Amino acid sequence: MKLYSDKALAKILDKDIFHQISNVSDELGVESYVVGGYVRDIFLERPSSDIDVVVVGSGIEVAQRLKQLLGKKAHLSVFKNFGTAQVKYKDLEVEFVGARKESYSHDSRKPVVEDGTLEDDQNRRDFTINAMAICLNKERFGMLVDPFNGIADLEDGIIMTPLDPEITFSDDPLRMMRCIRFATQLNFQIEDETFDALRRMAERIKIVSGERIEVELNKIIMSPHPSIGFEYLQRSGLLLIILPELAALDIVEKRDGRAHKNNFYHTLEVLENICKMGDKVNGIHSSNQLWLRWSALLHDIGKTKSKRWEPGVGWTFHNHNLIGAKMVSGIFRRLKLPMGAEMKYVQKLVDLHMRPQVIADNEVTDSAVRRLLNDAGDDIDDLMCLCEADITSKNEVRKKIFLENFRIVREKLSDLKEKDYKRLLQPVVDGNEIMELFHLQPSREVGLLKQYLKDAVLDNRVENEREPLMKLLMEKARIMGLA
């Protein structure tokens, strides 16, 4: 982190947009300050194009006058109900708001807002590192106003609230999620009193909408090391409220001297492994990265319901993949995550995440690989990444054998894809032809015959050609009494 003098900050803000805001502010006789994340990111040397400006007066008036000066190159949006305005200029977005103070009722995140001073506005900020302001008026251009010593907290890598954290989190419980999100994104520590307040106030998160929680969760998941955030969520008690299915995995049971692993920390390890792979490794599409990480997060949630102790065998988790896949829709609905293709993608990966491992644990047969590719379809590369990330065994010998078999699975998959697997695995004799041939309506019998041909192709018992398939079809139809 770099420290800057007021002169150095003035030089950093030596851009047309800031000088124009300065001119407008002096012309209107109001004080204006750059605040929040933009100021924080200057010291962290992180690029930012979203600029927040607090005006001790009317932020809307400053924005309207700025738009007049910038002309057609600028676009103005005014939100009178919120007392804010936005100016888009080139690649920048500048949000203007009047300085304000806020008070909250116990059962709502919506504050009662009044006009206030810069001090009032900084007091209402969520964290010290977001409560710094830089003056834009000519006389004090570039002067840092840092009443809570946010600079020191940036240097020390600390997240803490400007005022009493219990009041801060009670007023707006979403700040608890933001606290953990910033700690995760910046790899900072949460200050002890602030974290203690998180634990005490965790129940307050229940008044926050699923949509708001979803946004913060997704930002945590897409951080370089999301496990940091999920550890904080678990230790604070927030995870038990917002994602109890995941929190429930944080247990180790022991019987007759045999214990199963802690599946919560295993899940975080799998999630970190996915992150190491990056957006473009092993065929992961960047657009799927969020949902692939969600798949990693939820891949073992069925283990709590499926866990059994079997004498002579030990702990088992039979069908945890199927149970987990069924749980996905309820989680997505509760957290207001999209219920369409994204949810189905996560369901599919949770359902299938054991299949490549089962194949790689045994002799790698063409039939098993064909069936895997048929079921996974276009998501096969993402599924393979999830399964490889799921290999966290500490037994190096077993791991080596497993990874070698995994390599063979990948080679066979690659070979099938090169041969146009969709055409290769879909029987050339379809349901319509079966109905016409045997004078059938859509029925169970048609489904059985279609599946019989499909299984024959997937198991490579016959070539996917018309003559051998018709021969097989007629034999099966005779057995069923249809021919």
Side-chain angles (χ1 to χ4, degrees):
M1 189 192 100
K2 277 191 178 181
L3 293 176
Y4 298 96
S5 66
D6 291 348
K7 285 185 179 179
L9 289 173
K11 191 171 183 180
I12 290 170
L13 297 179
D14 187 18
K15 298 176 182 176
D16 178 50
I17 188 71
F18 292 119
H19 287 296
Q20 294 281 24
I21 295 170
S22 180
N23 293 334
V24 170
S25 301
D26 286 348
E27 175 189 323
L28 296 177
V30 295
E31 296 175 24
S32 291
Y33 299 85
V34 186
V35 296
Y38 192 86
V39 177
R40 178 198 68 227
D41 289 343
I42 287 175
F43 292 99
L44 293 176
E45 300 181 86
R46 300 201 314 173
S48 180
S49 58
D50 295 332
I51 303 168
D52 291 323
V53 174
V54 162
V55 178
V56 184
S58 172
I60 291 176
E61 284 184 19
V62 173
Q64 289 172 331
R65 179 63 180 136
L66 179 66
K67 158 64 179 161
Q68 290 175 354
L69 290 178
L70 296 176
K72 293 181 180 179
K73 292 182 180 179
H75 176 76
L76 171 69
S77 300
V78 175
F79 309 97
K80 286 187 178 179
N81 289 344
F82 299 98
T84 65
Q86 181 191 73
V87 175
K88 290 185 179 180
Y89 179 65
K90 297 181 179 177
D91 59 342
L92 299 172
E93 291 186 7
V94 188
E95 297 275 352
F96 292 87
V97 64
R100 60 193 188 185
K101 55 184 176 181
E102 299 174 340
S103 57
Y104 291 80
S105 63
H106 185 74
D107 59 350
S108 174
R109 289 184 56 241
K110 296 180 180 179
V112 176
V113 178
E114 304 173 63
D115 292 340
T117 63
L118 176 65
E119 181 183 3
D120 291 326
D121 202 89
Q122 289 178 300
N123 285 344
R124 73 178 184 84
R125 297 279 160 179
D126 49 10
F127 309 110
T128 58
I129 62 172
N130 294 335
M132 297 180 288
I134 300 175
C135 187
L136 294 178
N137 296 84
K138 276 194 174 56
E139 193 174 316
R140 295 186 296 139
F141 192 84
M143 180 183 289
L144 178 67
V145 183
D146 183 18
F148 303 107
N149 213 7
I151 284 291
D153 290 339
L154 277 179
E155 280 193 282
D156 295 337
I158 295 291
I159 303 291
M160 64 182 297
T161 58
L163 304 176
D164 182 337
E166 193 162 311
I167 294 173
T168 298
F169 295 146
S170 179
D171 283 349
D172 184 356
L174 185 64
R175 289 170 177 162
M176 295 189 286
M177 295 294 297
R178 286 170 56 82
C179 178
I180 292 173
R181 189 248 293 179
F182 280 121
T184 308
Q185 289 178 327
L186 302 176
N187 197 13
F188 278 19
Q189 296 291 316
I190 300 176
E191 180 262 343
D192 289 345
E193 285 188 25
T194 302
F195 184 74
D196 288 344
L198 275 180
R199 298 174 74 169
R200 290 194 301 272
M201 305 306 296
E203 287 287 323
R204 289 282 288 155
I205 201 66
K206 291 179 179 178
I207 72 166
V208 180
S209 69
E211 291 91 344
R212 294 284 189 173
I213 291 172
E214 173 213 343
V215 169
E216 296 300 326
L217 270 180
N218 284 343
K219 288 178 179 179
I220 290 171
I221 289 173
M222 289 304 292
S223 299
H225 296 288
S227 62
I228 295 170
F230 283 97
E231 278 199 63
Y232 272 131
L233 287 168
Q234 178 69 339
R235 285 173 50 212
S236 66
L238 285 165
L239 194 65
L240 185 61
I241 298 168
I242 62 178
L243 198 47
E245 298 87 349
L246 182 60
L249 296 177
D250 189 8
I251 188 172
V252 174
E253 286 193 66
K254 193 172 184 178
R255 190 176 292 188
D256 295 347
R258 301 180 69 175
H260 62 76
K261 65 188 172 187
N262 185 307
N263 287 300
F264 174 73
Y265 286 98
H266 163 72
T267 293
L268 297 190
E269 192 175 349
V270 174
L271 182 58
E272 287 292 321
N273 287 342
I274 288 289
C275 297
K276 288 175 190 173
M277 293 177 180
D279 286 356
K280 298 178 182 177
V281 178
N282 297 325
I284 304 173
H285 304 300
S286 58
S287 61
N288 280 351
Q289 184 66 199
L290 173 63
W291 306 113
L292 179 57
R293 292 187 185 197
W294 267 105
S295 302
L297 195 67
L298 301 181
H299 81 283
D300 271 351
I301 55 169
K303 283 190 170 180
T304 304
K305 292 184 177 181
S306 65
K307 183 168 67 174
R308 299 287 184 274
W309 170 257
E310 296 184 12
V313 177
W315 293 103
T316 64
F317 302 91
H318 296 312
N319 295 321
H320 75 270
N321 56 313
L322 298 173
I323 294 169
K326 290 178 181 177
M327 294 165 69
V328 168
S329 60
I331 292 170
F332 268 53
R333 187 173 293 107
R334 186 178 71 241
L335 293 175
K336 309 300 182 185
L337 289 159
M339 295 298 294
E342 298 88 348
M343 187 271 289
K344 290 177 182 176
Y345 167 93
V346 173
Q347 272 188 325
K348 180 197 283 190
L349 264 61
V350 172
D351 183 13
L352 297 177
H353 82 270
M354 295 296 295
R355 286 273 292 281
Q357 291 191 19
V358 171
I359 294 171
D361 254 341
N362 301 288
E363 181 185 353
V364 181
T365 65
D366 288 346
S367 172
V369 173
R370 280 171 168 249
R371 287 181 174 278
L372 175 65
L373 184 54
N374 177 72
D375 292 343
D378 291 338
D379 298 318
I380 185 65
D381 290 323
D382 293 7
L383 175 64
M384 293 298 287
C385 286
L386 174 59
C387 295
E388 198 161 340
D390 197 19
I391 303 168
T392 60
S393 172
K394 302 300 183 282
N395 184 326
E396 291 302 322
V397 174
R398 184 175 182 277
K399 190 173 180 179
K400 186 176 180 181
I401 295 170
F402 187 89
L403 287 173
E404 174 58 24
N405 285 351
F406 213 74
R407 182 188 62 78
I408 296 170
V409 174
R410 283 192 181 277
E411 285 181 358
K412 288 181 178 288
L413 286 169
S414 177
D415 184 54
L416 276 171
K417 285 194 287 185
E418 283 179 10
K419 293 178 180 176
D420 186 10
Y421 79 91
K422 289 182 180 178
R423 180 189 58 79
L424 190 69
L425 303 182
Q426 189 61 42
V428 294
V429 178
D430 64 14
N432 289 328
E433 190 166 356
I434 290 171
M435 288 190 289
E436 187 176 326
L437 190 63
F438 299 109
H439 309 291
L440 295 171
Q441 296 296 315
S443 60
R444 178 175 175 273
E445 285 78 10
V446 175
L448 289 172
L449 289 170
K450 281 176 62 180
Q451 190 60 48
Y452 183 72
L453 295 184
K454 180 86 170 180
D455 289 340
V457 170
L458 290 174
D459 292 337
N460 208 18
R461 286 189 278 119
V462 294
E463 291 295 320
N464 190 10
E465 296 174 357
R466 184 174 180 76
E467 187 175 335
L469 281 176
M470 287 297 290
K471 182 179 178 182
L472 207 63
L473 177 64
M474 295 307 295
E475 290 174 359
K476 183 66 175 175
R478 276 194 293 273
I479 292 171
M480 294 174 63
L482 298 173

